[in-house]
Amino acid sequence: MSAPVASDREIPCGNLQGFKRYFKHDFISGLLVFLIALPLCLGISIASGYPPIAGIFTAIIGSVVATLISNSELTIKGPAAGLIVIAIGCINAFGGDGTVGGWTETDMDAYRAALAVGVAAAVLQVFFGIFRAGILGEFFPISAVHGMLAAIGVIIIAKQIPVALGVSASGGPLELLRKIPEFIATANPAIAAIGLTSVLIMFVWPVVVRKFPVMKVLPSPLIVLIVAIPMGMSFDLMHAHSYTLQNHEYQLGENYLVAMPDRVFGMFDSLTTPDFSALQQPFAWKWVFMFFIIGSLESLLSAKAIDIIDPWKRKTNMDRDMVAVGIGNLGCAMVGGLPMISEIVRSKANIDNGARTRFADFWHGMFLLVCVAFIPMVLHRIPMAALAAMLIYTGFRLAHPTEFMNVWKIGREQLVIFVVTLVAVLATDLLIGIAIGIATKVVIHLSNGVSLRSLFKPEIELAEDDGHTVRLTAYNSAVFSNWIPIRRQIERLGLVERKNVELDLSSVQLVDHTVMDKLHEMESDFEQQGLTFTAVGLETHQPFAGHAQSARRKGLWTARRLTVVSELENQSMLEAALVRLGASGFTSMQCVGAGRHELLENAGQPKPMVRIEVIAPQEACEQMMSYLRREVQLKHRVTFAVETVQVARMDAFDQSVPTIPAEAQPNADESSLEPAAH
């Protein structure tokens, strides 16, 4: 199934007419997303310390509530791997350990306490949306958020490796990572065979799909189930028994399979209510705010990422979507479900499968409902090692090595923030880790000359308003911590009053990476409304790296000045060659002079000469000097010297950065807009 094309005449809308008109597209996409969501919902739920069916409850409720309330047309609502760390942490805090060692009364009490935490967090999310606070998702620096997600990926991998190998384990992520050799040595061979085969499929199947695109209709989680379930049956996991391998006895049984109802409509026996007395314990509110902050942030980021790749560029009302997520989470927590967010991987698959409206999310939930209601006995045959393999792959995507490289390309200071956040989350927890990442960003800004006052309070004023275009001037700094009021003013004067906006940043000391990314995003927002947004005045700012969205600091640029002296008849040849090799201009001065040769042979008689000066970037200057050595000095008398200079505007001396209007310049590097997989 190919992704939809934006050339369709009418923009699809998730109303009654859209339900009828796009039924085929949404129904098929819902079915294909269901095939991905089913095993992931089970796996995420088990990894979170909840009963397996809790994740399916979440996806079903999310599919109905989001369809009715949110205007996000292509996002899929459901449980996400990014919340596993918080969910299992909450369960552990109340004394439970999930399915590790079997489901006990203590685990049930911890589960019900976590549901009460979920209710409180959901209420906060509803108010968050009602009071139009969705814009707070704009506050968090991008590199810190990506560092947090990478840390979540590492934690997921650390916690799922023992499950994939059939061994029991507990402890923090760093401790689990240290114990990996021990887990391998004590692995249950039969379970490890299922787990490793499933991991191999998850990593190899994308390569197969690239070579044979027709196979894209079969998602890798489905292939894992097709292979893993028969493997589990061949090992007779439905019955408790032992086997001996290399003089060591291993146990097998139903504890290695997903626990599911054993009859049709048995799902209703699994409905569980919260224990609100848990909220009387002060530490419970730490987890309330963890669910609220991290869940809301991930949901907002995912919804924004899907808006970017929506073929019709439809715009989600983030406040309305947050209300939908909050109400959905309230319903989930009241019946025993996991917290939900707008899930990026399933949403991307939804687009690729040709979905048109929000009813694709609805149909994916209905397929899950039918499945868990009528064939829970079949779901019981899924080995937990196979689900762990899917989560290991998800964790790997979150912490993929290319994430480090992408951040490095944006700037070394961004890599510092990314790594500090990642390590801090692994060493502490999500809330403290993200706070340390933000604090690191603040320290870097202060070291770059940003005043403490302007760090949180922007200085922006209306310079001109001709009725069609508003010109704003910013001062001091434009950074992540003061971006929200800047954005509000741009939206109020531009999008609300239907005017074009020009933002002058020439007087700003520092524009950080987060704001550079938001400026690019703002251009898209205005374009969707038939307006234009232009950021000007960055010509005098030096980027921290070569990336289009790297941070920029006002100051002098480092360049090279090349001075060439040769005989007058070589002037035209040298000028043409220097321009060809990267000079955007030159200064030529005719003069007279005598070198060592003239002093020896002509008794010091001066002769007509030309002196040419060029200012250029280092790379271009190296090419010019190479040309002079290899081609000119072999045939003509020429001397040259090079020195380092500081210039106010690099674009005046770099042919690769043409001084053309912003609207005529190429788009920013799209790789910086790639969403992280949740």
Side-chain angles (χ1 to χ4, degrees):
M1 180 74 66
S2 59
V5 293
S7 58
D8 291 5
R9 291 183 179 179
E10 185 177 335
I11 297 177
C13 181
N15 52 24
L16 183 59
Q17 182 181 359
F19 175 79
K20 297 175 182 177
R21 180 170 182 177
Y22 304 107
F23 172 81
K24 176 183 175 182
H25 297 95
D26 293 336
F27 185 84
I28 293 176
S29 181
L31 172 62
L32 296 175
V33 172
F34 150 74
L35 297 175
I36 300 173
L38 174 61
L40 289 179
C41 288
L42 295 172
I44 291 168
S45 194
I46 295 170
S48 300
Y50 285 51
I53 202 170
I56 296 182
F57 285 162
T58 299
I60 294 170
I61 293 172
S63 70
V64 175
V65 172
T67 301
L68 295 176
I69 300 177
S70 176
N71 75 324
S72 181
E73 295 289 1
L74 295 177
T75 56
I76 299 294
K77 302 293 193 285
L83 294 181
I84 288 175
V85 177
I86 304 175
I88 189 62
C90 183
I91 292 289
N92 293 156
F94 285 104
D97 61 6
T99 56
V100 177
W103 189 259
T104 64
E105 190 65 32
T106 301
D107 294 321
M108 175 57 75
D109 292 340
Y111 169 44
R112 295 187 63 212
L115 294 178
V117 168
V119 169
V123 171
L124 291 178
Q125 285 181 321
V126 172
F127 283 108
F128 191 65
I130 289 175
F131 290 104
R132 301 181 63 79
I135 197 172
L136 287 177
E138 302 279 312
F139 171 80
F140 294 88
I142 294 173
S143 296
V145 171
H146 281 267
M148 178 195 72
L149 293 174
I152 289 173
V154 173
I155 295 171
I156 290 171
I157 292 171
K159 289 185 175 292
Q160 292 307 303
I161 284 177
V163 180
L165 296 174
V167 298
S168 297
S170 60
L174 297 178
E175 181 183 0
L176 291 173
L177 290 172
R178 287 195 300 268
K179 289 183 176 180
I180 288 178
E182 179 184 332
F183 298 149
I184 295 174
T186 59
N188 188 318
I191 303 303
I194 297 174
L196 294 176
T197 301
S198 301
V199 168
L200 185 64
I201 292 171
M202 291 299 298
F203 279 89
V204 170
W205 192 250
V207 179
V208 174
V209 169
R210 282 196 293 270
K211 291 187 176 181
F212 306 99
V214 70
M215 304 298 289
K216 189 176 183 180
V217 72
L218 298 174
S220 53
L222 178 62
I223 303 301
V224 168
L225 295 187
I226 292 174
V227 173
I229 291 176
M231 289 184 70
M233 294 172 66
S234 69
F235 291 130
D236 194 20
L237 297 183
M238 291 290 289
H239 303 94
H241 65 284
S242 63
Y243 69 99
T244 302
L245 183 66
Q246 293 184 341
N247 299 320
H248 195 287
E249 187 176 33
Y250 298 95
Q251 303 296 321
L252 294 177
E254 283 188 285
N255 57 308
Y256 291 107
L257 297 175
V258 175
M260 293 296 290
D262 57 0
R263 62 183 179 84
V264 174
F265 294 122
M267 59 180 287
F268 294 107
D269 298 334
S270 300
L271 296 177
T272 308
T273 55
D275 176 12
F276 290 106
S277 64
L279 296 177
Q280 297 175 5
Q281 303 182 57
F283 73 84
W285 289 93
K286 168 191 172 182
W287 298 102
V288 170
F289 285 104
M290 290 271 274
F291 274 122
F292 165 59
I293 295 173
I294 306 301
S296 301
L297 177 61
E298 282 201 56
S299 194
L300 288 168
L301 291 174
S302 297
K304 288 172 64 176
I306 294 303
D307 279 354
I308 291 172
I309 59 177
D310 182 346
W312 293 274
K313 302 302 179 185
R314 290 165 292 191
K315 185 74 174 175
T316 296
N317 183 320
M318 294 301 168
D319 298 318
R320 180 175 165 182
D321 193 62
M322 185 52 57
V323 171
V325 169
I327 293 175
N329 277 329
L330 187 60
C332 293
M334 293 301 291
V335 299
L338 273 167
M340 73 172 184
I341 67 169
S342 299
E343 210 285 326
I344 187 70
V345 175
R346 276 156 266 168
S347 300
K348 177 65 165 58
N350 192 37
I351 293 174
D352 293 341
N353 292 329
R356 297 298 194 267
T357 74
R358 69 193 77 170
F359 289 107
D361 185 18
F362 172 78
W363 287 120
H364 120 275
M366 293 305 99
F367 281 117
L368 286 170
L369 175 61
V370 170
C371 185
V372 75
F374 290 100
I375 56 169
M377 303 78 71
V378 175
L379 301 182
H380 176 50
R381 291 186 175 272
I382 299 175
M384 289 200 296
L387 301 179
M390 299 178 198
L391 293 178
I392 288 172
Y393 180 70
T394 299
F396 176 77
R397 292 187 61 186
L398 286 170
H400 197 284
T402 57
E403 285 291 319
F404 292 80
M405 292 306 301
N406 289 337
V407 175
W408 168 261
K409 290 176 183 177
I410 295 170
R412 285 178 295 179
E413 86 289 353
Q414 300 303 317
L415 184 63
V416 170
I417 298 164
F418 178 91
V419 173
V420 166
T421 306
L422 189 157
V423 174
V425 169
L426 293 178
T428 57
D429 60 35
L430 286 176
L431 212 54
I432 296 175
I434 193 74
I436 291 174
I438 293 173
T440 303
K441 180 103 172 178
V442 169
V443 169
I444 290 175
H445 284 347
L446 293 175
S447 67
N448 281 317
V450 176
S451 67
L452 191 61
R453 180 175 181 274
S454 70
L455 195 63
F456 299 100
K457 185 178 181 181
E459 293 186 26
I460 183 169
E461 66 178 18
L462 177 62
E464 185 180 347
D465 183 354
D466 61 10
H468 299 286
T469 300
V470 174
R471 293 175 177 82
L472 299 172
T473 301
Y475 301 93
N476 287 323
S477 68
V479 294
F480 78 98
S481 50
N482 65 22
W483 166 249
I484 291 177
I486 294 176
R487 180 186 176 100
R488 286 195 185 280
Q489 187 158 353
I490 292 171
E491 289 182 335
R492 178 177 60 83
L493 296 174
L495 297 178
V496 175
E497 298 185 9
R498 303 292 303 169
K499 297 176 183 177
N500 301 319
V501 172
E502 182 181 284
L503 178 63
D504 184 0
L505 296 167
S506 59
S507 300
V508 171
Q509 176 68 26
L510 179 73
V511 184
D512 72 1
H513 161 55
T514 299
V515 171
M516 288 299 299
D517 182 81
K518 302 300 182 186
L519 292 174
H520 178 78
E521 191 178 294
M522 188 67 71
E523 290 178 10
S524 300
D525 293 345
F526 272 71
E527 185 179 346
Q528 290 177 25
Q529 300 295 323
L531 301 168
T532 60
F533 171 80
T534 309
V536 299
L538 290 175
E539 301 86 359
T540 59
H541 291 68
Q542 186 171 357
F544 287 16
H547 196 279
Q549 294 177 12
S550 62
R552 282 162 165 73
R553 178 175 53 196
K554 191 171 185 178
L556 297 177
W557 296 58
T558 300
R560 296 294 182 89
R561 178 165 60 195
L562 177 66
T563 304
V564 183
V565 178
S566 185
E567 296 163 344
L568 185 59
E569 58 264 28
N570 296 332
Q571 179 175 355
S572 298
M573 175 193 71
L574 290 172
E575 291 171 349
L578 294 175
V579 170
R580 175 173 54 82
L581 292 170
S584 61
F586 56 84
T587 301
S588 293
M589 296 170 285
Q590 294 184 10
C591 56
V592 294
R596 186 178 62 177
H597 179 77
E598 286 76 22
L599 291 174
L600 292 175
E601 295 187 1
N602 300 324
Q605 290 296 320
K607 60 186 298 185
M609 307 284 283
V610 63
R611 176 189 175 97
I612 305 174
E613 286 190 1
V614 171
I615 294 178
Q618 179 175 347
E619 183 178 351
C621 189
E622 293 289 344
Q623 293 178 354
M624 295 175 197
M625 288 192 294
S626 177
Y627 161 76
L628 292 172
R629 291 192 192 99
R630 296 181 180 182
E631 299 187 32
V632 180
Q633 284 187 329
L634 296 177
K635 303 175 183 178
H636 307 280
R637 297 189 184 281
V638 61
T639 60
F640 59 89
V642 64
E643 56 189 319
T644 301
V645 295
Q646 300 289 313
V647 298
R649 288 183 53 174
M650 193 61 168
D651 61 334
F653 305 101
D654 189 353
Q655 282 190 348
S656 65
V657 186
T659 52
I660 56 177
E663 60 271 16
Q665 294 184 12
N667 291 330
D669 184 359
E670 293 295 332
S671 65
S672 64
L673 301 176
E674 283 293 324
H678 296 172

